[in-house]
Amino acid sequence: MNNLLDILNKSVNYLEKKKIENSRITAEKIFSEVLDMQRIMLYANFERILLEEEMEKIREKLNSVIQRNSENTDFNVSERENGNDNLKSLIDKSTVYLEKNNISEAKLITEIIFSHVLNVDRMLLFTLYKTEVEKDKLDKIRNYIQKIGKERFPLQYLLNEQEFYGRKFYVNKGVLIPRQDTEVLVEEAIKILKKDKIQNPKILDIGTGSGIIGLTVALEIPDAKVMGTDVSEKALEISEKNKELLNVENIKFFKSDLFENIEYKKFDMIISNPPYISDNEIGVMSEDTLLHEPDEALFAENNGLFFYYEICRNGMDYLQNNGYLLFEISYKQGEIVREILKKAGFRNVNIIKDMQNNDRVIVGQKQIEKNEV
Ligand code: SAM
Ligand code: GLN
């Protein structure tokens, strides 16, 4: 039978036999690309008969995944090659391996790993080029390099850190890796708080994840009182850990599904970088994100708009008059989220662009005139 479900299941088995990790998600991603269909829709169309050319494309893609995996397993950085395994040759070998596996910035990633494991500043690695590397450290390096090349494991999860707004944050697979784009959101929040000179501003960060937004605002605006919330227990453990590492006192984290456990109703600012990716964008997402970052930090129903509707609908009740609502948005969502904010009654709605000149942040203000109250 050539129906979608049969072929999908066969493909998963085939990938499993070839020892491809995450075989189901890998196969689903291939199907969703070739058939131009959201991943969840594959199962709703399980009886669809595939065309010969679709099967051919799927076969090609499956084989290229397998091919890439077999190249990966060839890699063994600890093998001696004519006694040449000094640091320089190990770095070169690792870089080539990552390049062969289509990892961008292979040299930089390699150097970061070596410098981390050897505990040497990256810029000074060259001073050790002729030395040999101890076996236990080499094993660690090999494990890291393979995890990145073969499993698409993000570097930040391996090293448990990501820099944000000039500070180092602890991260692991329980939270989204902080993105540089989110600095635009934080910068805008800080700009508004400084401009309005609000005394002891009360700020709510919804979906705090690793805590980057709330913690950065708390550190930059020391007289602020910040609350960070998340539904994920794992995320809350990590944000607490970052609070301790960065020694922040003016923030509290607690569990809440959106506004469920929030009693305070006079915030000066609500900030959120909610999940905003829709299921039909799965085909364009990078494998490292898709395979390793938490789904609940990324995907949102209703075409990625669920959280904007929910937070706008309730946000008004939780803000002081003149309080602000700030969101990170995807580059495609600017106009539609503007409408959502306006319909919910927010005024002075403004979109801010990121470094690539894409829409990235949206701000609205609760402004109720005296005669409207
Ligand atoms: N604020 C972090 C950042 O900017 O890196 C994480 C943002 S991540 C895109 C979205 C976060 O929202 C995740 O930590 C996820 O656990 C959380 N989340 C998902 N659904 C939620 C809900 N119903 N209520 C509160 N938080 C939620
Ligand atoms: N910007 C992130 C990404 O593209 C998604 C973050 C989010 O959904 N808020 O992977």
Side-chain angles (χ1 to χ4, degrees), residues 8-18 23-24:
L8 178 61
N9 286 337
K10 274 188 200 144
S11 305
V12 173
N13 288 341
Y14 181 51
L15 291 177
E16 263 167 14
K17 251 198 231 142
K18 297 284 179 186
S23 48
R24 181 156 294 272

Side-chain angles (χ1 to χ4, degrees), residues 242-284:
N242 281 318
K243 170 179 166 156
E244 228 167 88
L245 288 171
L246 294 166
N247 209 2
V248 191
E249 298 198 337
N250 51 337
I251 191 163
K252 279 205 167 60
F253 291 111
F254 62 90
K255 187 169 174 172
S256 179
D257 178 353
L258 292 172
F259 292 96
E260 195 181 25
N261 300 329
I262 299 170
E263 281 166 17
Y264 189 76
K265 289 203 163 182
K266 291 197 162 166
F267 287 101
D268 297 286
M269 183 177 274
I270 299 175
I271 318 177
S272 184
N273 172 17
Y276 56 63
I277 299 179
S278 69
D279 281 328
N280 58 17
E281 287 172 290
I282 212 155
V284 294

Side-chain angles (χ1 to χ4, degrees), residues 26-43:
T26 308
E28 286 175 357
K29 197 178 169 209
I30 290 174
F31 276 62
S32 109
E33 258 174 47
V34 172
L35 306 177
D36 195 18
M37 196 185 275
Q38 293 179 27
R39 197 161 58 110
I40 43 164
M41 291 310 287
L42 293 173
Y43 293 96

